[in-house]
Amino acid sequence: MLSKVTLDDIRPIAIGAGILGTGGGGNPYLGGLHLASVIREKGPQTLIDPFALADDALVCVAGSIGAPTVSIEKLPEGTEMLRALRLLEEHIRRRFDAVAIAEIGGANSMQPLIAGLQAGIPTVDSDSMGRAFPEIQMSSYLFGSDAQVAPYAMVDAADKAAVVPAAASDLWGERIARNIAVSMGARAGLVACMMTGAQVKQSGVHYTMSLAHHLGERVIEAQERKSDVPQVVADVLDGRVIFRGKISDVNRRTTKGFARGWVRIDRFSNDDRLDIQFQNEMLIARINGAVVTTTPDLICIVTEEEGEPVTTEVLRYGTRVAVIAAPAPAQLKSEVALEVVGPRAFGYDVEFSPLPGGVIGLRPDTSDQRGYCS
Amino acid sequence: MLSKVTLDDIRPIAIGAGILGTGGGGNPYLGGLHLASVIREKGPQTLIDPFALADDALVCVAGSIGAPTVSIEKLPEGTEMLRALRLLEEHIRRRFDAVAIAEIGGANSMQPLIAGLQAGIPTVDSDSMGRAFPEIQMSSYLFGSDAQVAPYAMVDAADKAAVVPAAASDLWGERIARNIAVSMGARAGLVACMMTGAQVKQSGVHYTMSLAHHLGERVIEAQERKSDVPQVVADVLDGRVIFRGKISDVNRRTTKGFARGWVRIDRFSNDDRLDIQFQNEMLIARINGAVVTTTPDLICIVTEEEGEPVTTEVLRYGTRVAVIAAPAPAQLKSEVALEVVGPRAFGYDVEFSPLPGGVIGLRPDTSDQRGYCS
């Protein structure tokens, strides 16, 4: 289990979180450059076991909100997370003890490391998705406990800021935050979801930073050995490679604070084709029109040769890719959770048929039989 | 000059502010019902001369933000202004001494009376437009002094709320507030524009509540005498009746937090037609295609018989109306002001040709020669 994050850990985390992000969470390469600059200045960041948190510790989450397509064009100023965290602290008149991870996917795996380092508090090795999702209310910290998204604070690269002290529900909190994010150019820093250590322990998807790091390390090893990297990714995540082919079409719009669209992949060996629809993240995959995988299970696109994550904002014609389906963490598969993150929550009139198994959210030392042990 | 607002004053204010609103500011009849219920509970509201404010008094503005088309369907909970005011006070950790009027038009003339009554502080007989405008930065308190729109607070009829502690500019403050308002159903209470008494005195359009009241009284008298009410409106405002006819077409969309569109009026006696474009408020009037009046001068539509205001949300085919053009207050006609509220600020490639004269913003007792003396 990872207990601190150093410069050397950035590349494995970027790869692992890029894959777990199912397309979203923000560009992991750019997030990694940002994290590296902060670690160079401040030193490694401490990562703590969620079960080491005091029950009454005060924890928040930190992340970027917006469209991943924007995240590669509108670079951060660098202190968005810290300024949003301090603004929220000022509003609630209390100090946070630790920062948890809203989503382990993409650059949003790194924002809580950056925020924690800049604020001088540890990052919790726990997120609330075990992947990435496009909307705030899709967080197990929220639907798995009585924590609420508001009060929250948002800050952009300029000096625009907002505090939302209350929202009628977490869904309304998302709607307000999304529109504020649009006013901030579809990219803003968000610090939200005040909760206690007890709530983190109860509702989080734990050890996902350790998992992202482990996954990245296994990918790098497999690249060096020139083995079948996509298969290694599937093995680590207890999933399977559902398709290999070439991207033949992409339709992607940046609209209302999201990147929405679809990607088509043609199989190398025959006329089969895979279609994936996304809203920041990959949500539903169909082979020749038949649904094969849906949210909350993970649909991850990696390059065919290197097994590197292919996120939504860099999907392009001609890339040779493999698509991996992996079982979602248990926290996302309860009845309550599926109402928020299941296919119907995204407007797809499809039942969720869970993939068997899964390792995301398990303690590293209990899941070694499935290969997840750093 | 009016020094308090009683139940008897509501109808004249609703008429006068409805006319001054140039179509916007929110439905004055519904605003009047709301104000009446608060006065019945709390008694009359004190109105103070802006020059009676201490230079270091702390003043804010209070009003509704959104689309007037929504204001007649989505009724307020009733304490939006008070809750927003308290939220902003909590954020800045100071108490306000008085509430000024953002815009004298429509129901937004009454919101500062309601907020003041509920909070136990007086309302200042001064606004920042002498009319209504659709966007926050179009306020003489902002472009006429070094006050800024942020920090501000917004609250809706449910328990959704937001504080914006900082904005990169007043225009960005408007953009963020507009998107928050959209998240709140295109109607929210806004308390903003912290300023000192000195700033109010320097930049306000003064005595406009008194003017609205006086205008309403003159309309009621003229209705009783069955005289030419639209001509009386023009006389009080030092303007002129530019058109009389029947509304023959209306195109109105509620979009991005505004009501946008145009109205066409056919003259009774010949084939002439008047076209007016609006964004909440009437902005530009053309007779047979030739521009006759533009913002910031006032374009006011009243019913032909009764001289009652016809606001944007109640424009409809068949209504017989008169259109009055009236000179804007001097505060809106400086070079700095015209950059924010002139025709080019709204995208019309037209020079502003000011109507001569004008009484809006003058001291009642110095303007009696033009008929404005309560």
Side-chain angles (χ1 to χ4, degrees), chain B residues 3-7 9-10 13 31-48 60 62 78-79 81-83 85-86 95-100 109-124 209:
Chain B
S3 60
K4 65 181 180 2
V5 175
T6 67
L7 281 182
D9 299 316
I10 294 177
I13 290 172
L33 292 180
H34 186 187
L35 176 58
S37 75
V38 180
I39 289 180
R40 266 188 221 104
E41 186 197 340
K42 305 256 184 190
Q45 168 64 346
T46 302
L47 199 65
I48 59 172
C60 61
T79 62
M81 296 296 128
L82 178 65
R83 287 182 287 132
L85 188 138
R86 293 295 184 225
R95 287 281 173 142
F96 289 108
D97 300 309
V99 185
S109 62
M110 296 159 182
Q111 299 292 358
L113 297 168
I114 293 167
L117 259 178
Q118 291 175 330
I121 55 178
T123 303
V124 187
M209 182 65 79

Side-chain angles (χ1 to χ4, degrees), chain A residues 28-368:
Chain A
Y29 174 71
L30 292 173
L33 291 181
H34 185 187
L35 176 58
S37 75
V38 180
I39 289 180
R40 264 185 224 107
E41 186 196 343
K42 306 253 183 194
Q45 167 64 345
T46 302
L47 199 65
I48 58 172
D49 187 311
F51 293 96
L53 282 169
D55 276 351
D56 63 352
L58 190 64
V59 184
C60 61
V61 300
S64 270
I65 176 171
T69 39
V70 170
S71 75
I72 53 170
E73 299 191 5
K74 186 171 186 290
L75 301 182
E77 175 272 341
T79 63
E80 283 88 341
M81 296 296 130
L82 177 65
R83 287 182 288 132
L85 187 138
R86 292 297 184 222
L87 185 57
L88 187 57
E89 286 182 334
E90 191 185 342
H91 176 73
I92 62 171
R93 296 169 206 188
R94 287 181 66 189
R95 287 281 172 143
F96 288 107
D97 300 311
V99 185
I101 306 163
E103 57 183 9
I104 194 62
N108 268 346
S109 62
M110 296 160 183
Q111 299 293 356
L113 297 168
I114 293 167
L117 258 178
Q118 291 176 328
I121 53 179
T123 302
V124 187
D125 190 0
S126 171
D127 86 314
S128 64
M129 300 175 182
R131 47 170 292 161
F133 278 124
E135 300 181 13
I136 295 173
Q137 77 280 5
M138 299 170 172
S139 157
S140 66
Y141 292 142
L142 297 172
F143 61 69
S145 82
D146 50 6
Q148 295 182 302
V149 65
Y152 58 79
M154 296 176 65
V155 166
D156 78 352
D159 59 351
K160 299 196 286 294
V163 177
V164 173
S169 66
D170 292 327
L171 180 58
W172 276 110
E174 153 66 25
R175 288 173 181 165
I176 294 174
R178 188 66 46 182
N179 278 345
I180 294 174
V182 169
S183 316
M184 293 177 169
R187 170 158 208 184
L190 171 70
V191 172
C193 193
M194 259 175 64
M195 53 192 162
T196 63
Q199 287 171 319
V200 173
K201 292 179 227 181
Q202 174 197 338
S203 62
V205 180
H206 302 311
Y207 310 112
T208 45
M209 182 65 79
S210 292
L211 173 62
H213 183 264
H214 170 71
L215 173 59
E217 284 193 326
R218 295 289 306 272
V219 166
I220 293 167
E221 282 167 28
Q223 288 172 346
E224 286 163 0
R225 284 203 313 270
K226 301 200 182 302
S227 46
D228 180 354
V229 193
Q231 187 58 51
V232 169
V233 171
D235 291 345
V236 172
L237 297 179
D238 200 19
R240 62 195 178 88
V241 178
I242 57 170
F243 210 82
R244 295 176 193 254
K246 193 185 80 166
I247 295 179
S248 60
D249 204 357
V250 180
N251 181 304
R252 182 178 48 209
R253 293 162 294 129
T254 303
T255 174
K256 297 186 179 176
F258 295 110
R260 289 178 185 270
W262 49 262
V263 56
R264 173 163 297 171
I265 303 166
D266 291 337
R267 205 191 289 278
F268 294 131
S269 53
N270 60 24
D271 286 347
D272 285 353
R273 68 169 197 235
L274 178 78
D275 290 289
I276 297 173
Q277 286 178 283
F278 55 81
Q279 174 188 346
N280 292 6
E281 283 77 29
M282 316 289 168
L283 299 172
I284 187 165
R286 294 179 177 89
I287 294 179
N288 301 331
V291 173
V292 287
T293 311
T294 73
T295 174
D297 280 343
L298 283 68
I299 301 164
C300 312
I301 306 184
V302 299
T303 55
E304 162 67 3
E305 290 280 318
E306 299 287 317
E308 296 274 343
V310 180
T311 48
T312 302
E313 70 279 7
V314 297
L315 289 170
R316 71 188 60 183
Y317 174 85
T319 309
R320 297 164 68 92
V321 297
V323 180
I324 294 133
Q331 291 88 332
L332 305 186
K333 294 191 266 201
S334 70
E335 201 171 317
V336 167
L338 287 174
E339 276 181 26
V340 187
V341 300
R344 290 189 209 282
F346 293 92
Y348 302 112
D349 191 17
V350 173
E351 281 304 316
F352 172 58
S353 303
L355 297 169
V359 296
I360 303 172
L362 296 188
R363 275 193 101 89
D365 50 3
T366 59
S367 60
D368 51 346

Side-chain angles (χ1 to χ4, degrees), chain B residues 39-358:
Chain B
I39 289 180
R40 266 188 221 104
E41 186 197 340
K42 305 256 184 190
Q45 168 64 346
T46 302
L47 199 65
I48 59 172
D49 186 312
F51 292 96
L53 283 169
D55 275 352
D56 62 352
L58 191 64
V59 185
C60 61
V61 300
S64 269
I65 178 170
T69 38
V70 171
S71 75
I72 54 170
E73 298 189 6
K74 185 169 185 289
L75 301 182
E77 176 271 343
T79 62
E80 283 88 341
M81 296 296 128
L82 178 65
R83 287 182 287 132
L85 188 138
R86 293 295 184 225
L87 185 56
L88 187 57
E89 285 182 336
E90 192 186 339
H91 177 74
I92 63 172
R93 298 169 203 188
R94 288 180 65 188
R95 287 281 173 142
F96 289 108
D97 300 309
V99 185
I101 307 164
E103 58 182 7
I104 194 61
N108 267 346
S109 62
M110 296 159 182
Q111 299 292 358
L113 297 168
I114 293 167
L117 259 178
Q118 291 175 330
I121 55 178
T123 303
V124 187
D125 189 0
S126 172
D127 86 314
S128 65
M129 297 174 184
R131 47 169 294 160
F133 277 123
E135 300 181 13
I136 295 173
Q137 78 281 4
M138 298 172 173
S139 158
S140 66
Y141 292 142
L142 298 171
F143 60 70
S145 81
D146 50 5
Q148 294 183 305
V149 66
Y152 59 80
M154 297 176 65
V155 166
D156 78 352
D159 61 352
K160 299 196 285 294
V163 176
V164 174
S169 66
D170 293 326
L171 181 59
W172 276 108
E174 152 67 24
R175 289 173 181 163
I176 294 173
R178 187 68 44 184
N179 279 346
I180 294 174
V182 168
S183 317
M184 293 178 170
R187 169 156 208 184
L190 171 70
V191 171
C193 194
M194 259 175 66
M195 53 193 161
T196 63
Q199 287 172 319
V200 173
K201 292 180 228 181
Q202 175 198 338
S203 62
V205 181
H206 302 310
Y207 310 112
T208 44
M209 182 65 79
S210 293
L211 173 62
H213 183 264
H214 170 71
L215 173 59
E217 284 193 325
R218 294 290 305 273
V219 165
I220 294 167
E221 281 167 27
Q223 288 172 344
E224 286 163 0
R225 283 202 314 268
K226 301 201 182 301
S227 46
D228 180 352
V229 194
Q231 187 57 52
V232 169
V233 171
D235 291 346
V236 172
L237 296 179
D238 201 19
R240 62 196 178 87
V241 179
I242 58 170
F243 209 82
R244 294 175 193 255
K246 194 184 80 166
I247 294 179
S248 60
D249 203 356
V250 179
N251 181 302
R252 184 179 46 211
R253 294 161 293 130
T254 302
T255 173
K256 297 188 179 176
F258 296 109
R260 289 178 185 270
W262 50 261
V263 56
R264 173 164 297 172
I265 304 166
D266 291 338
R267 205 192 288 279
F268 294 131
S269 53
N270 61 25
D271 286 347
D272 285 352
R273 68 169 198 234
L274 178 77
D275 290 288
I276 297 173
Q277 286 178 284
F278 55 81
Q279 174 187 346
N280 291 7
E281 283 77 28
M282 317 289 169
L283 298 173
I284 186 165
R286 295 181 177 89
I287 295 180
N288 302 330
V291 173
V292 288
T293 311
T294 72
T295 175
D297 281 343
L298 283 68
I299 301 164
C300 312
I301 305 184
V302 298
T303 56
E304 162 67 3
E305 290 279 317
E306 298 288 317
E308 296 274 343
V310 180
T311 48
T312 302
E313 69 279 8
V314 297
L315 289 170
R316 70 188 61 180
Y317 175 84
T319 309
R320 296 163 67 91
V321 298
V323 180
I324 294 134
Q331 290 87 334
L332 305 186
K333 295 192 267 201
S334 70
E335 200 171 320
V336 168
L338 287 174
E339 275 181 27
V340 187
V341 298
R344 290 188 209 283
F346 292 93
Y348 302 112
D349 190 17
V350 173
E351 281 304 316
F352 172 58
S353 302
L355 296 170

